[in-house]
Amino acid sequence: MQQVLYFYEGECEEKLLKFLKHKEIIKSGKTKKFNLWQDKIKQLKRLLPRRRKSELYFLIDTDKLANIQLFKDNLENLKQHNICLIVQYKNLEDELSYICDQTRTELFSEFNACNKDEFTSKFIKASNLQSKLNSCDFSKIWSRGTDFMQKNSIEISKNCKYRL
Amino acid sequence: MIFLKLKIDNLYMFKGAEFDFTYPKKIRNSTIEGEFLTDFPKINYKKVCILMGANASGKTSLGKLMCSINNYLLGREVDGIPKTIYDKNKNASVEITYITQEAKNIHQLTINFNQESLVSEIYKSNKLKKTYNLEKTLSKLDDSSPKFLYNKENKHNIENPGFKSVAYSMGYELCKKDAIWNYKYSDFENSNKLDVQTHNINILESILKSFDNSISSVNAVTESEKNIDIVKFFNGDEVLIENGKILNPDRFSRGTIESIEITDFINFITAGAGGTFFLDEKMAYSHSEIEISILNLIIEKLKSNSQFFYTTHNYDVLEMNLPSHSYIFMKKDSFVEAIHPEKLGYTKNDRSLLGFVKNDVFGTLPNTDKIESLL
């Protein structure tokens, strides 16, 4: 069985990845916290599988482009691995709004949240994610793409086959 | 100090055993940074040595012997030696080649013991040269004359040296007095004691929470005169760590207790300067993922001119993205033998050694026939 690793930036994404794995929308795989914009992959490289067939998925936000050079350096360091960037259109709330066909406010109110911080906190703690995201179409998640990669001359996304 | 080579004869189960802690060629994009002396980059030494082998293959004994060597080099009595001599009727010997990076010297010390005391001591030392590579440095050392010699003919008026270095007592600085080392052995239970001197609450909290996800917080009690940390669980339970001692360790799982000692070890590495660090099967109760994650943390935190020795039985450690020279396999048939995979041609660093080990290429798998015979 090929090893699959998902790297997420924040706890909300971790929660969503676990939910999607459980729902068998995406492949099973290990999840690890890692932010390509902030952290150095060199520090984690010893833990990455050597097998080229292993699949490494990085779920990234594109609304706050922090340190583009570090981001590029990290990708350079990952060259010999089979990696795929799962690019969120802006951020998680925006993705959820899109796939659930709700405005941001409607999404927040689904979680009894008044603002982004409250939503984040309640999303992480939610024990009934299934019921709250019941009407969402997960086939649309991360499907829109952005021009972020083209704009930054990033050519990476060899094998994005994380969906089941 | 940095261990470069070690030859051991007639001690524990070592008979003519040779350990090589050097490697010939730097690896491009190595996952271990700074595997060479900072001031002498042509001197490649193994910064990380993962010792693997079956039970009773000499891993702990090696650590104990290396610790004795560290003490011996500082002029201390190593009176535990006689009981570790295998054939009591013969002399035991150790030859150690090492570097003292502060003094910028390479040394070679050959010592012979019998049951009664030190029998002979040959000490060589050369200044390191930036233009010399490792091979030339070692060859020049081999060719050099001893700086000091102790034997029957050269007693220096010392009739009974005991188990102490005569060279040291004659004024030779074998090693810097402030050399740093830390050895933690699997058979030495010290898990419920945290060294408060190097105590870092953030490391403690992150590690404890990784081991036990029912821990909600770890905080220092600031209003107490004593040094107290309080570990709180989500269900309201609390564990107090007072002056480093866990007051009610029963609340922790075995692995979590073990993690306290690991925390101590990591604190020691991060707080001090470079040194020799030996961690012997201290994560036997840990989940494999945690063990590997902590191992990665330790490697990342190692200062330059440090050396880290780690013993484990965990196969997953072989899957780590480390150079093949970082692994040393130990096997014991009649006596202990050290196997260096990189010397046998296993130098493909993009490939795991796991398959080779599982196929018993190095002959390191234990024989389980006797267990199967019970079926």
Side-chain angles (χ1 to χ4, degrees):
Chain A
M1 192 179 182
Q2 284 174 10
Q3 202 175 343
V4 176
L5 270 95
Y6 294 98
F7 296 89
Y8 58 88
E9 293 181 358
E11 287 173 78
C12 277
E13 282 83 2
E14 182 191 19
K15 177 105 180 180
L16 181 65
L17 284 169
K18 284 184 175 168
F19 173 76
L20 296 173
K21 282 194 294 177
H22 181 70
K23 292 276 291 170
E24 297 185 351
I25 292 166
I26 60 169
K27 289 178 183 173
S28 297
K30 198 154 85 175
T31 51
K32 263 193 184 301
K33 190 172 183 181
F34 185 82
N35 190 328
L36 281 167
W37 301 100
Q38 292 172 9
D39 308 320
K40 289 180 185 166
I41 198 70
K42 271 189 168 181
Q43 295 174 330
L44 209 69
K45 224 178 161 188
R46 289 177 286 265
L47 301 178
L48 299 183
R50 291 166 187 253
R51 282 188 282 264
R52 285 175 197 275
K53 284 183 180 173
S54 302
E55 299 166 24
L56 275 54
Y57 298 105
F58 290 82
L59 181 55
I60 58 165
D61 283 354
T62 52
D63 57 341
K64 289 175 193 160
L65 308 184
N67 187 345
I68 188 76
Q69 193 50 50
L70 176 62
F71 185 88
K72 285 184 173 179
D73 289 347
N74 281 331
L75 293 185
E76 181 66 27
N77 264 304
L78 285 163
K79 249 182 172 174
Q80 73 261 47
H81 295 275
N82 181 17
I83 80 160
C84 162
L85 299 182
I86 304 175
V87 184
Q88 297 205 111
Y89 195 90
K90 291 183 187 168
N91 52 38
L92 182 91
E93 306 87 85
D94 193 79
E95 281 292 342
L96 291 177
S97 296
Y98 173 66
I99 67 165
C100 305
D101 200 18
Q102 289 171 320
T103 63
R104 233 169 121 90
T105 316
E106 284 167 344
L107 178 72
F108 285 0
S109 62
E110 191 72 54
F111 286 82
N112 295 321
C114 304
N115 54 44
K116 182 181 162 61
D117 289 344
E118 212 178 335
F119 167 76
T120 303
S121 163
K122 290 192 170 170
F123 186 88
I124 293 164
K125 287 180 188 156
S127 56
N128 53 346
L129 215 51
Q130 170 65 49
S131 63
K132 293 195 183 295
L133 303 176
N134 203 24
S135 60
C136 306
D137 178 2
F138 286 102
S139 66
K140 285 159 63 181
I141 195 162
W142 307 317
S143 64
R144 286 177 289 176
T146 71
D147 57 357
F148 149 79
M149 299 229 259
Q150 284 164 323
K151 267 187 185 170
N152 292 285
S153 319
I154 295 164
E155 287 177 43
I156 203 148
S157 274
K158 296 176 200 163
N159 235 336
C160 290
K161 292 177 183 164
Y162 53 88
R163 286 174 201 277
L164 285 172
Chain B
M1 63 167 274
I2 307 285
F3 285 87
L4 294 186
K5 309 249 180 192
L6 183 58
K7 293 182 187 172
I8 314 162
D9 191 48
N10 199 28
L11 283 166
Y12 293 96
M13 293 299 288
F14 298 104
K15 187 181 180 187
E18 296 189 19
F19 291 86
D20 192 346
F21 303 120
T22 68
Y23 67 98
K25 214 170 136 189
K26 286 192 176 60
I27 294 165
R28 219 172 129 247
N29 298 325
S30 173
T31 53
I32 302 175
E33 286 190 7
E35 265 204 307
F36 48 83
L37 290 182
T38 315
D39 294 335
F40 300 90
K42 289 183 178 175
I43 307 293
N44 298 334
Y45 74 92
K46 295 178 183 174
K47 198 172 176 182
V48 175
C49 301
I50 296 172
L51 303 154
M52 299 185 84
N55 295 94
S57 60
K59 302 183 293 294
T60 305
S61 304
L62 178 69
K64 288 184 174 173
L65 190 61
M66 288 169 75
C67 186
S68 295
I69 290 168
N70 278 125
N71 281 294
Y72 183 88
L73 296 177
L74 283 183
R76 294 173 189 158
E77 182 96 19
V78 286
D79 50 11
I81 287 289
K83 64 175 185 236
T84 66
I85 295 179
Y86 179 76
D87 184 342
K88 311 287 182 202
N89 298 313
K90 289 183 180 168
N91 285 359
S93 71
V94 175
E95 182 188 287
I96 167 183
T97 308
Y98 63 101
I99 299 261
T100 49
Q101 60 278 7
E102 314 85 358
K104 300 179 178 172
N105 280 334
I106 182 165
H107 314 256
Q108 191 176 71
L109 187 72
T110 311
I111 41 182
N112 269 275
F113 295 102
N114 63 18
Q115 280 288 293
E116 312 301 323
S117 72
L118 180 73
V119 175
S120 71
E121 192 174 35
I122 306 165
Y123 174 59
K124 292 179 176 182
S125 175
N126 280 350
K127 275 276 167 213
L128 289 168
K129 290 194 174 167
K130 282 198 199 266
T131 50
Y132 287 5
N133 63 14
L134 177 68
E135 200 183 344
K136 194 166 180 184
T137 305
L138 289 169
S139 132
K140 288 277 177 194
L141 183 68
D142 280 341
D143 295 343
S144 64
S145 309
K147 282 204 167 7
F148 179 79
L149 186 62
Y150 171 81
N151 56 22
K152 278 200 293 203
E153 292 78 34
N154 302 278
K155 289 216 159 198
H156 305 277
N157 296 324
I158 296 174
E159 282 308 316
N160 184 6
F163 293 92
K164 278 204 297 198
S165 168
V166 177
Y168 180 89
S169 58
M170 299 297 287
Y172 288 89
E173 190 179 63
L174 305 179
C175 184
K176 281 275 169 197
K177 284 187 175 60
D178 56 358
I180 289 172
W181 68 79
N182 191 339
Y183 288 79
K184 285 195 186 291
Y185 307 118
S186 53
D187 60 356
F188 188 68
E189 182 55 66
N190 197 24
S191 306
N192 60 353
K193 195 105 173 72
L194 187 68
D195 184 349
V196 288
Q197 299 305 316
T198 55
H199 180 203
N200 179 321
I201 196 85
N202 292 330
I203 295 177
L204 181 64
E205 180 167 32
S206 297
I207 289 182
L208 283 178
K209 281 182 166 179
S210 301
F211 272 82
D212 188 341
N213 61 7
S214 60
I215 291 172
S216 60
S217 66
V218 181
N219 292 301
V221 180
T222 47
E223 58 269 23
S224 169
E225 281 182 10
K226 290 178 181 171
N227 193 328
I228 297 177
D229 294 325
I230 182 163
V231 181
K232 288 186 179 169
F233 290 78
F234 284 114
N235 71 347
D237 288 354
E238 292 178 352
V239 171
L240 293 177
I241 305 175
E242 185 181 305
N243 290 327
K245 187 164 174 47
I246 305 168
L247 298 186
N248 43 338
D250 292 348
R251 181 62 183 83
F252 286 142
S253 73
R254 187 69 188 83
T256 312
I257 290 172
E258 199 177 58
S259 75
I260 303 278
E261 199 172 1
I262 303 297
T263 304
D264 196 24
F265 190 78
I266 295 169
N267 284 338
F268 194 89
I269 287 175
T270 51
T276 309
F277 307 103
F278 197 107
L279 192 60
D280 176 36
E281 281 177 43
K282 276 294 176 189
M283 287 190 267
Y285 291 92
S286 309
H287 189 282
S288 179
E289 285 289 320
I290 292 181
E291 176 175 356
I292 283 166
S293 182
I294 288 180
L295 194 49
N296 183 52
L297 175 69
I298 290 172
I299 294 171
E300 186 63 29
K301 295 291 177 191
L302 279 177
K303 305 264 168 62
S304 51
N305 299 329
S306 286
Q307 217 167 11
F308 173 52
F309 299 87
Y310 182 71
T311 77
T312 183
H313 290 286
N314 186 355
Y315 274 154
D316 287 349
V317 171
L318 286 163
E319 290 267 62
M320 285 183 79
N321 223 326
L322 293 171
S324 55
H325 68 240
S326 298
Y327 299 93
I328 296 177
F329 300 113
M330 292 172 71
K331 71 168 178 179
K332 187 179 77 186
D333 292 322
S334 302
F335 293 96
V336 176
E337 186 187 340
I339 298 154
H340 302 85
E342 77 280 10
K343 292 190 179 198
L344 300 173
Y346 298 92
T347 50
K348 299 260 186 221
N349 290 297
D350 58 341
R351 260 175 241 172
S352 157
L353 289 167
L354 180 63
F356 299 114
V357 172
K358 281 196 165 181
N359 284 324
D360 207 18
V361 169
F362 306 112
T364 50
L365 294 187
N367 186 333
T368 57
D369 289 350
K370 289 189 175 63
I371 297 172
E372 271 97 53
S373 73
L374 301 173
L375 295 173

